[in-house]
Amino acid sequence: MGTCQNRPLNALALPLLAVWLWTGCTEVDRIETLEPVRMVPSALMVQQAQAGDAAAQFALADAHRGGADPAVMLHWLRESAQQNHAPAVVSMGVLALNGDNVPLDRAEAYRWFNRAAILGDDEADQIRIKLSAVLTEAEWQRVAGLQ
């Protein structure tokens, strides 16, 4: 393998190729032709999710993210989060905090981030700490009622 400035050629080639491809696109191309990659759930993944596998449920929720029916994504995400699958728990907190496909609810977001922090997610713990500084008294009462 050749090198360039003591770096493997492919380590330099990939970023250069990306820049070359990016600059070759027009603004219209960038907006109109780029679409997110959608994973098509396999029959096995669906079977595992239906059997209660939290990781499969999270993967199935992810496969339905941005889809036509957000209720399907939310169903599988909740199923996974209720089993303390940390990525799903954090995701539920993010959705509640942003009001994304669920009502914006900072108390509910705090509850999910707190749960994720207990599961050992350091980033969720930092979000929980920041959120705790801005919750109103009414929101704290809701947090207490949600526990």
Side-chain angles (χ1 to χ4, degrees):
M1 176 189 308
T3 61
C4 180
Q5 299 177 359
N6 296 327
R7 293 189 346 203
L9 182 60
N10 59 353
L12 181 61
L14 188 56
L16 289 175
L17 178 61
V19 168
W20 178 72
L21 289 172
W22 180 255
T23 58
C25 296
T26 66
E27 288 299 318
V28 174
D29 290 337
R30 290 182 191 147
I31 295 170
E32 292 178 5
T33 61
L34 292 179
E35 292 189 21
V37 175
R38 299 264 183 243
M39 179 187 73
V40 176
S42 69
L44 178 60
M45 180 191 299
V46 173
Q47 182 182 17
Q48 290 171 330
Q50 290 171 337
D53 182 309
Q57 291 168 337
F58 181 73
L60 198 53
D62 190 49
H64 288 283
R65 185 173 32 98
D69 187 2
V72 175
M73 182 270 302
L74 287 171
H75 167 76
W76 290 115
L77 190 59
R78 278 193 186 103
E79 290 291 318
S80 181
Q82 288 170 349
Q83 295 185 68
N84 291 326
H85 186 64
V89 174
V90 171
S91 295
M92 288 300 297
V94 170
L95 293 179
L97 186 59
N98 294 329
D100 188 7
N101 291 314
V102 297
L104 191 146
D105 187 338
R106 295 188 323 176
E108 181 74 9
Y110 179 89
R111 182 178 77 93
W112 287 113
F113 287 125
N114 187 55
R115 192 169 175 179
I118 291 168
L119 294 171
D121 190 297
D122 293 334
E123 190 174 351
D125 191 38
Q126 292 303 309
I127 295 169
R128 179 191 61 83
I129 289 167
K130 290 177 183 175
L131 192 54
S132 68
V134 297
L135 291 179
T136 66
E137 184 60 37
E139 287 170 326
W140 278 116
Q141 290 176 0
R142 282 200 13 73
V143 167
L146 292 170
Q147 302 296 343

